[in-house]
Amino acid sequence: CQGWSAGATRRNRQWLYSVNARKLTGIPIAITLTVKECPPTHDEWKRLREALFVRLRRKGLLRLHWVTEWTRRGLPHLHAAAYFEGPSDPTALARLAHQIRQHWLELTASLGTKYAAQHVVPITDCAGWFQYVAKHAARGVKHYQRHQGTLPPGWKRTGRVWGHLGDWPTVEAKLT
């Protein structure tokens, strides 16, 4: 894979539109994770992402949708919507958000990652969250966070730029 293609953008958007939001269960968390230095290769970025997902499963992850985009500096960053088992009281949510940040910091310590640069918050307004997701879904391949231009040094490819894990309630579009 060589970044966000028209097909990848279309498939991500179609999948997002197929999610039946009324049937989502669990504690929803919005996640944006960054790095200060670029991983040397796509394979390293993938390893970090997959290692994070393993840790999140241990925390009771039910489902997750993720996208990789690029900052203005050309660094990859990860956006995700994650749904977890467990209590939704403010103390438990704050602890979970802190643990997610800590896991990312441990995994990306060699990349100079800073705690304050990570954004992990409960999704309190599903309508607002889906507007945010729709914004990301609507971005075309020419958007600066999608346009790969020149890959970072050492990157021969980007690999998958979006995906989902777990059981998502979806509806099939009926075409007439």
Side-chain angles (χ1 to χ4, degrees):
C1 298
Q2 293 293 327
W4 284 94
S5 66
T9 301
R10 182 181 61 254
R11 287 185 296 277
N12 181 50
R13 184 176 55 247
Q14 287 172 336
W15 183 83
L16 285 168
Y17 291 169
S18 77
V19 173
N20 186 343
R22 286 180 284 237
K23 292 189 176 182
L24 288 171
T25 60
I27 310 305
I29 305 285
I31 302 169
T32 300
L33 301 173
T34 65
V35 292
K36 185 175 180 184
E37 304 294 329
C38 192
T41 65
H42 155 265
D43 291 332
E44 178 62 10
W45 176 251
K46 178 181 177 184
R47 185 192 70 73
L48 294 168
R49 186 184 70 223
E50 296 297 325
L52 176 68
F53 296 167
V54 167
R55 290 178 181 210
L56 295 181
R57 284 184 186 107
R58 291 182 191 141
K59 293 285 174 201
L61 181 70
L62 297 171
R63 67 188 61 83
L64 178 131
H65 170 258
W66 62 270
V67 298
T68 294
E69 292 185 324
W70 281 264
T71 65
R72 290 193 191 276
R73 292 181 41 222
L75 301 174
H77 65 279
L78 188 68
H79 292 286
Y83 291 75
F84 291 87
E85 301 172 331
S88 62
D89 65 89
T91 302
L93 289 172
R95 185 173 32 254
L96 180 59
H98 173 74
Q99 290 169 343
I100 292 169
R101 284 186 183 100
Q102 284 301 122
H103 284 307
W104 187 245
L105 291 176
E106 290 168 12
L107 291 167
T108 61
S110 66
L111 302 174
T113 305
K114 302 291 184 203
Y115 187 89
Q118 314 316 311
H119 188 71
V120 182
V121 296
I123 299 170
T124 57
D125 173 14
C126 281
W129 172 249
F130 278 101
Q131 288 173 351
Y132 175 77
V133 169
K135 173 186 81 170
H136 281 277
R139 288 181 176 163
V141 294
K142 302 262 189 237
H143 188 276
Y144 84 90
Q145 286 190 312
R146 298 263 171 107
H147 181 66
Q148 61 273 22
T150 304
L151 292 174
W155 287 47
K156 295 184 181 3
R157 58 192 169 89
T158 61
R160 293 197 61 199
V161 289
W162 77 276
H164 57 88
L165 308 169
D167 183 30
W168 285 84
T170 58
V171 294
E172 284 195 38
K174 300 230 178 350
L175 302 176
T176 57

